[in-house]
Amino acid sequence: MRIALFSECYTPVANGVVTSLLTLRAALRDLGHSVLVFAPGAAQPDDDDEVFRLPELPFPRHPYHFARPFPRLAVNFAALEVDVVHCQHPFTVGRLGADTARRHGLPLVYTAHSLYDIMATYHKSPLVRTMGCKAVRGVVRRYCDKVDCIITPSRHTRDALRMEGVRARFAVIPSGIIAPAMPCGGREQMRASLGLASDTPLLLCVGRLGPEKRLDLLLDAIALLDRRALAEPAGRFRLALVGEGLCREELAAQAARLGVGERVIFAGEQPHATIGNWYAGADIFTLPSPVETQGVVLVEAM
């Protein structure tokens, strides 16, 4: 088959959706299928001739690359002989994929990676929190009416969409996971780079530093743990936050305000090829986010 994936994000963006797409694409290609990708952003050195980039809007402080409104395909889609269109989001690029499928009479599949109404409830803007939830539910419901099948990574996600009035054919298929590479000595190498002793307990959280991830709750918990850590070795614990996002500065300020600034390591975004060293180097994995539909990092950590 020739499968066209339409996504609002792709490399060099690093998040759960992109990781899932890379894994899906590799697995389908190993089975002999051709997998084309349509996503916003500038062409990357590792793009092949089946990756088609869409013009993007400039969002310098945001980790995503948003497509311009009403994007157009700069390619003769009919000549690509696609068999099925598989969209990853219900927004700009998702609408482009749906319109393309309808125009060419192709089956349309949508994977619901996120529950956007729940994510909106954690937005900083009161307007988005109050009006955004209702608006995004309408967007998702109308989009789902167009598709032939909805893939959800968990039963929880399927049930949540049904509760919002989505009536469609569902298939529950968790995103595939490729076990992170954990080379010999990776734990020691990572901990040495952080200046940690071998017996210092290290907590780890991997993910985007966004408001919906509730890392503020994790920092509150770290402050509580700090107050209760009356004896060694618990008193020497550290927390590593691997990821980037809009909340980094306010999280650093919160950590300082709580008196745990020295406990928290902001490691920034790390290449997925080396993320195994972080899992190996940590002792406890943490994820306070209430908005996960599957949580790829949870399975990777396990």
Side-chain angles (χ1 to χ4, degrees):
M1 293 179 65
R2 291 181 62 79
I3 304 159
L5 303 179
F6 283 75
S7 176
E8 304 285 345
C9 52
Y10 199 58
T11 56
V13 174
N15 61 23
V17 173
V18 174
T19 299
S20 296
L21 283 181
L22 293 173
T23 305
L24 174 64
R25 190 177 189 222
L28 289 172
R29 292 173 112 182
D30 286 345
L31 293 172
H33 303 293
S34 296
V35 186
L36 294 71
V37 177
F38 296 85
Q44 299 298 305
D46 55 350
D47 284 355
D48 54 42
D49 58 3
E50 291 187 330
V51 175
F52 301 91
R53 295 291 182 168
L54 305 170
E56 63 177 329
L57 289 172
F59 278 85
R61 292 188 66 246
H62 203 285
Y64 286 6
H65 296 246
F66 293 100
R68 292 179 186 172
F70 312 109
R72 296 183 179 180
L73 295 177
V75 64
N76 181 357
F77 191 84
L80 298 176
E81 299 182 334
V82 168
D83 296 299
V84 61
V85 172
H86 183 183
C87 295
Q88 315 302 313
H89 304 85
F91 305 117
T92 304
V93 180
R95 290 199 303 270
L96 174 64
D99 292 343
T100 301
R102 184 180 66 251
R103 190 178 307 116
H104 294 275
L106 298 174
L108 175 62
V109 178
Y110 164 53
T111 290
H113 291 282
S114 304
L115 295 173
Y116 300 102
D117 57 334
I118 298 178
M119 293 174 65
T121 63
Y122 296 97
H123 200 277
K124 295 180 181 180
S125 167
L127 182 63
V128 173
R129 290 199 301 267
T130 55
M131 299 182 61
C133 292
K134 182 177 180 181
V136 78
R137 285 172 187 153
V139 169
V140 171
R141 194 161 48 242
R142 288 190 295 272
Y143 187 82
C144 289
D145 287 341
K146 303 177 182 179
V147 308
D148 297 292
C149 182
I150 301 173
I151 295 175
T152 62
S154 62
R155 292 188 295 273
H156 162 71
T157 310
R158 177 200 61 194
D159 296 344
L161 289 173
R162 284 176 172 170
M163 286 288 291
E164 297 302 329
V166 173
R167 298 291 177 261
R169 178 185 176 190
F170 283 92
V172 178
I173 307 174
S175 296
I177 303 295
I178 297 177
M182 301 175 73
C184 182
R187 175 181 173 87
E188 292 74 16
Q189 179 182 349
M190 190 279 285
R191 294 176 72 91
S193 70
L194 299 177
L196 296 180
S198 60
D199 61 345
T200 299
L202 178 63
L203 286 71
L204 174 68
C205 183
V206 178
R208 185 165 47 85
L209 309 185
E212 76 281 1
K213 299 294 186 177
R214 291 309 312 271
L215 294 171
D216 59 314
L217 181 66
L218 178 57
L219 293 185
D220 286 341
I222 290 301
L224 179 63
L225 181 61
D226 181 61
R227 292 196 296 271
R228 293 182 176 180
L230 302 178
E232 302 290 348
R236 299 199 306 267
F237 77 89
R238 296 291 184 272
L239 166 68
L241 300 179
V242 174
E244 278 294 349
L246 298 177
C247 292
R248 174 167 180 157
E249 291 184 5
E250 64 184 69
L251 289 170
Q254 179 189 356
R257 186 173 65 254
L258 293 171
V260 293
E262 295 184 354
R263 299 282 195 193
V264 183
I265 301 165
F266 289 88
E269 188 175 296
Q270 300 292 324
H272 193 264
T274 63
I275 201 67
N277 288 347
W278 290 87
Y279 290 126
D283 301 293
I284 299 175
F285 188 77
T286 67
L287 187 68
S289 170
V291 300
E292 303 304 310
T293 53
Q294 176 180 346
V296 168
V297 292
L298 285 175
V299 186
E300 286 183 346
M302 287 190 284

